[in-house]
Amino acid sequence: SSSEQNISINTSLIEGENEVEIHSVDRANNRTEVTRSVQLILNKPPAISINLESGLRLTERLFSLSGEVSDEDGDQVTTTVFVNGEEVFSTQEDMISKLLSFEQGANEVRIDSIDERGARTEEVFSNIQVDAIRPTLTVSGTGNIRTKNPSFPIEANASDENGVSISLYHNGALLE
């Protein structure tokens, strides 16, 4: 009479080459072996290298974003850039070069890179501060002034929403 046995086992693989052997032995000690080679390729997420950092302070609303997205596994990567939650562009290029427009005040940039097998890297750059508004400065008098008095009174007032200081120079030298 014939006999049959089935087996189903999940085995844990290590990264790289794995050899799996299946042996069958009957009552007469006859053997059959089958070997399978299984290569485990772990999908590493893309790497983002960009010229941006959290807490960056800018005096202009425009910023030239540049950098590189790479995938160690050689997969095609799609990178999407968001500014303050809105998608501003998406690319499958390795090199990134784009002019971003920020709002006055605090901004956030999120860069999301995903490869064709689903491995994802997300980087968030927060508290990018833009202060593109120059302080107001009011100075007493107008234009070129002529005087016969060696002591000249000058008054100035400055204001700005992010704090301000006033310095006075006379013939290039800072007055204390």
Side-chain angles (χ1 to χ4, degrees):
S1 104
S2 74
S3 168
E4 187 175 306
Q5 183 179 7
N6 294 310
I7 188 170
S8 179
I9 297 175
N10 280 334
T11 183
S12 295
L13 302 175
I14 59 171
E15 185 174 8
E17 200 68 35
N18 293 267
E19 190 173 278
V20 179
E21 296 178 12
I22 301 95
H23 298 249
S24 176
V25 181
D26 67 12
R27 289 187 181 142
N29 212 20
N30 296 313
R31 296 177 173 267
T32 302
E33 297 176 6
V34 175
T35 302
R36 295 288 187 255
S37 177
V38 181
Q39 185 176 16
L40 175 61
I41 302 171
L42 296 178
N43 189 18
K44 294 182 174 72
I48 300 171
S49 175
I50 211 88
N51 69 332
L52 193 58
E53 59 188 52
S54 290
L56 185 65
R57 294 195 163 296
L58 302 172
T59 57
E60 296 183 22
R61 293 176 190 238
L62 297 179
F63 178 79
S64 182
L65 179 72
S66 63
E68 182 178 5
V69 176
S70 59
D71 190 84
E72 189 176 320
D73 304 318
D75 293 335
Q76 178 72 47
V77 177
T78 300
T79 299
T80 307
V81 176
F82 301 84
V83 173
N84 298 324
E86 291 187 32
E87 181 179 329
V88 292
F89 76 97
S90 187
T91 183
Q92 290 187 332
E93 300 293 322
D94 293 343
M95 299 305 292
I96 293 176
S97 180
K98 187 74 170 179
L99 193 60
L100 300 182
S101 179
F102 292 124
E103 297 173 6
Q104 176 77 11
N107 293 269
E108 180 179 271
V109 174
R110 179 170 55 96
I111 301 175
D112 190 19
S113 294
I114 185 167
D115 73 15
E116 60 191 277
R117 292 186 285 157
R120 167 178 265 136
T121 299
E122 178 183 273
E123 291 199 18
V124 177
F125 304 92
S126 59
N127 199 27
I128 299 168
Q129 292 289 330
V130 174
D131 183 0
I133 300 172
R134 296 172 72 176
T136 60
L137 179 60
T138 306
V139 180
S140 61
T142 58
N144 293 327
I145 300 170
R146 299 182 86 155
T147 184
K148 292 184 178 189
N149 186 348
S151 175
F152 180 73
I154 191 158
E155 293 179 15
N157 177 280
S159 65
D160 188 87
E161 64 184 35
N162 291 313
V164 68
S165 66
I166 297 178
S167 300
L168 179 62
Y169 293 81
H170 179 216
N171 292 332
L174 177 64
L175 300 177
E176 297 291 331

